[in-house]
Amino acid sequence: DAGVIQSPRHEVTEMGQEVTLRCKPISGHDYLFWYRQTMMRGLELLIYFNNNVPIDDSGMPEDRFSAKMPNASFSTLKIQPSEPRDSAVYFCASSLSRLGQAIRGSGANVLTFGAGSRLTVL
Amino acid sequence: GQQLNQSPQSMFIQEGEDVSMNCTSSSIFNTWLWYKQDPGEGPVLLIALYKAGELTSNGRLTAQFGITRKDSFLNISASIPSDVGIYFCAGQDPQTGANNLFFGTGTRLTVIP
């Protein structure tokens, strides 16, 4: 398996523009997570899906952020309009089963991260 | 939100030296994880700890789940250049849901050949 695939790897945009980040989870994984990484706040969970359904979006910063998962192999994180403070690395991750169970499972059931999308908003 | 304090923030060591880093939380965790992040990549799981007092090894890496369930440490023995990267602790808080991992701020390790 190619792992979790994210695109774009890098994006530079101007304030006010719409940004769309994309993620393809590992095939067969039921859970998909979006994280944001900044120097100040580290890694923060934004939202996660189970079987394409959003379960917890309490980490989404504000209404400018939205995430969708139209099918089991694709998810998007959208920021509209973007602001300079949104500059960060956004990670997508997936797991085979419920995280609490996955951690206790085999090595294949752990949370697997993509390489990230580095966003710079000028 | 949950506070995870990781120390040290950065380390510069000579190749062959041992490394020790730790992580403390403001509340009890029921799982501790240690991840490594290479430049330009996502974090990769190194070790998972499931119960208080547990000591687990993975090659040159050893990690322990603290007895109080509020801390964990990671040791790397005989460091090599490819150990360079950022090491993150992560914990699963039973109060906030099984699917939310809280991450530490990371320890940036530099190994000097």
Side-chain angles (χ1 to χ4, degrees):
Chain A
D1 197 312
V4 177
I5 307 298
Q6 290 187 246
S7 65
R9 290 295 310 274
H10 303 274
E11 175 141 356
V12 180
T13 190
E14 292 187 342
M15 182 174 63
Q17 296 297 307
E18 177 178 292
V19 173
T20 300
L21 308 178
R22 299 171 179 80
C23 175
K24 181 181 186 303
I26 292 174
S27 177
H29 278 194
D30 297 331
Y31 285 79
L32 184 141
F33 303 78
W34 281 100
Y35 283 85
R36 178 172 66 176
Q37 185 178 39
T38 61
M39 288 294 293
M40 291 299 296
R41 300 175 66 87
L43 272 162
E44 303 172 283
L45 177 66
L46 300 177
I47 185 172
Y48 79 89
F49 296 82
N50 175 218
N51 291 324
N52 314 339
V53 177
I55 303 299
D56 184 354
D57 65 355
S58 59
M60 295 285 263
E62 50 199 87
D63 292 344
R64 297 184 298 106
F65 285 69
S66 62
K68 295 182 180 180
M69 192 166 185
N71 56 63
S73 60
F74 183 66
S75 176
T76 59
L77 178 67
K78 187 172 294 187
I79 308 172
Q80 167 64 20
S82 59
E83 297 181 3
R85 61 192 168 123
D86 301 330
S87 298
V89 181
Y90 291 81
F91 287 103
C92 177
S94 68
S95 68
L96 182 59
S97 59
R98 184 169 169 268
L99 196 59
Q101 298 166 347
I103 290 173
R104 288 168 172 76
S106 69
N109 289 351
V110 299
L111 187 64
T112 303
F113 285 83
S117 294
R118 180 176 294 276
L119 172 65
T120 302
V121 183
L122 303 175
Chain B
Q2 185 61 263
Q3 295 292 319
L4 275 185
N5 297 308
Q6 195 169 341
S7 65
Q9 289 187 333
S10 62
M11 301 181 72
F12 291 81
I13 62 169
Q14 294 281 2
E15 181 178 358
E17 290 184 350
D18 297 341
V19 174
S20 183
M21 60 190 78
N22 66 71
C23 198
T24 59
S25 70
S26 56
S27 61
I28 291 173
F29 281 172
N30 59 7
T31 305
W32 281 97
L33 308 171
W34 284 92
Y35 284 83
K36 182 192 177 195
Q37 185 175 17
D38 290 327
E41 300 296 328
V44 175
L45 183 68
L46 299 174
I47 290 181
L49 302 160
Y50 307 132
K51 59 183 180 180
E54 180 179 358
L55 184 71
T56 298
S57 293
N58 178 7
R60 293 178 297 105
L61 277 61
T62 302
Q64 183 159 29
F65 192 142
I67 289 293
T68 64
R69 296 173 62 192
K70 292 184 177 182
D71 63 332
S72 177
F73 72 75
L74 175 70
N75 286 343
I76 305 172
S77 62
S79 59
I80 59 178
S82 62
D83 291 334
V84 166
I86 303 176
Y87 291 79
F88 292 97
C89 59
Q92 184 187 13
D93 184 344
Q95 299 299 320
T96 60
N99 285 300
N100 192 357
L101 287 181
F102 293 94
F103 283 83
T105 51
T107 294
R108 184 180 296 273
L109 178 64
T110 302
V111 179
I112 303 168

